[in-house]
Amino acid sequence: MYLTPKGWIMKQNVNFQLELDRVLGGISRSGEVPHLMLHSCCGPCSTYVLEYLSSYFRITVFYYNPNIFPREEYEHRLAEEKRFIRTFRGRHPIDLIDGDYDPAAFDLLAQGMEGEPEGGARCPVCYRFRLEKTAALARERGCDWFCTTLSVSPYKNVRHINEIGLELEQKYGVRFLPSDFKKRGGYQRSIELSHEYGLYRQDYCGCRFSLEQKNREEKTI
């Protein structure tokens, strides 16, 4: 993974965990505590990521997920995110910004892709939508880095997430933290922490299309 005048060039098989190791090693050697704007999709996914990164960063969690349906589900997930952040004690401070819930914006974005399966063409568009808001807010708040918890899930395309993040780094002038948080047992650790803190773990990604797909699949069992 290297930068050219035309943007980032990514090797076919990039180990994003090793890229993260390299960045965190540099931060440790510097002795500084940079400010990270971390997009979070839900409390359970943020557990391991906050445990891991709070040793290196002062973190602002940005809960921005207008894709989540219905509103009651959105509020439930947000409440669990807030509860975890209140309870968890990281090495450095962690605070939270609650983004606007605007499902109409997501519905407009998803037009023409309603029938795509989970993990299909609609998902990278959704990643970009949320990551762009995160990068813009990171620049507004003067953050040093931005990132997302999305890569902790084995159901998310980690290459798409990192490619989008690196593109937005160039657009907004805030460094993107590469990641594959599910590596080294990260996903399993998120499950353990969710049980430890008694967090609600949802059984679908979040949008109404993923909920409809889940319901169809359950009917066929």
Side-chain angles (χ1 to χ4, degrees):
M1 188 168 64
Y2 54 94
L3 185 62
T4 73
K6 293 185 178 181
W8 284 97
I9 301 295
M10 204 172 285
K11 296 178 291 185
Q12 187 62 34
N13 296 306
V14 180
N15 187 320
F16 294 104
Q17 177 62 55
L18 293 181
E19 294 291 332
L20 177 58
D21 288 345
R22 178 183 59 77
V23 172
L24 296 182
I27 290 171
S28 292
R29 289 189 294 273
S30 75
E32 298 177 352
V33 183
H35 187 185
L36 172 69
M37 182 68 67
L38 177 67
H39 166 261
S40 176
C41 54
C42 65
C45 284
S46 73
T47 53
Y48 165 72
V49 179
L50 289 173
E51 180 184 64
Y52 184 14
L53 295 183
S54 64
S55 294
Y56 302 92
F57 297 96
R58 175 168 58 92
I59 300 174
T60 295
V61 173
F62 182 39
Y63 183 85
Y64 181 70
N65 302 290
N67 55 306
I68 296 176
F69 176 87
R71 187 180 189 103
E72 292 77 16
E73 179 72 16
Y74 173 89
E75 297 292 351
H76 193 177
R77 297 188 193 191
L78 174 58
E80 291 294 86
E81 180 74 73
K82 289 179 176 178
R83 184 165 67 86
F84 177 71
I85 291 172
R86 280 197 310 269
T87 309
F88 178 72
R89 294 292 176 264
R91 181 178 174 186
H92 298 297
I94 300 170
D95 60 7
L96 180 139
I97 294 175
D98 176 7
D100 294 333
Y101 181 58
D102 184 8
F106 172 75
D107 288 344
L108 183 64
L109 195 74
Q111 281 185 357
M113 295 181 285
E114 295 89 344
E116 285 286 325
E118 186 68 20
R122 186 180 62 248
C123 292
V125 175
C126 185
Y127 304 160
R128 180 180 295 276
F129 184 53
R130 291 179 284 170
L131 269 171
E132 182 139 19
K133 288 286 188 180
T134 306
L137 184 60
R139 182 174 68 180
E140 178 186 319
R141 297 296 179 98
C143 296
D144 304 290
W145 297 84
F146 76 100
C147 187
T148 178
T149 63
L150 287 167
S151 72
V152 80
S153 169
Y155 305 106
K156 301 293 187 291
N157 187 310
V158 70
R159 187 179 180 90
H160 286 164
I161 292 166
N162 283 276
E163 285 177 341
I164 292 165
L166 290 168
E167 288 176 21
L168 295 172
E169 174 182 297
Q170 296 303 298
K171 181 175 179 179
Y172 289 93
V174 181
R175 287 170 290 183
F176 175 71
L177 190 67
S179 71
D180 191 354
F181 291 122
K182 64 180 170 291
K183 292 287 184 73
R184 298 181 184 162
Y187 176 63
Q188 184 58 41
R189 178 60 178 156
S190 74
I191 295 173
E192 293 169 359
L193 285 166
S194 295
H195 287 313
E196 180 180 334
Y197 285 85
L199 295 179
Y200 160 69
R201 288 183 60 83
Q202 59 273 7
D203 59 0
Y204 67 102
C205 175
C207 72
R208 63 186 176 91
F209 311 111
S210 64
L211 177 59
E212 289 165 2
Q213 179 178 328
K214 178 187 80 77
N215 290 338
R216 287 194 303 270
E217 290 171 352
E218 287 179 349
K219 287 180 180 178
T220 64
I221 297 175

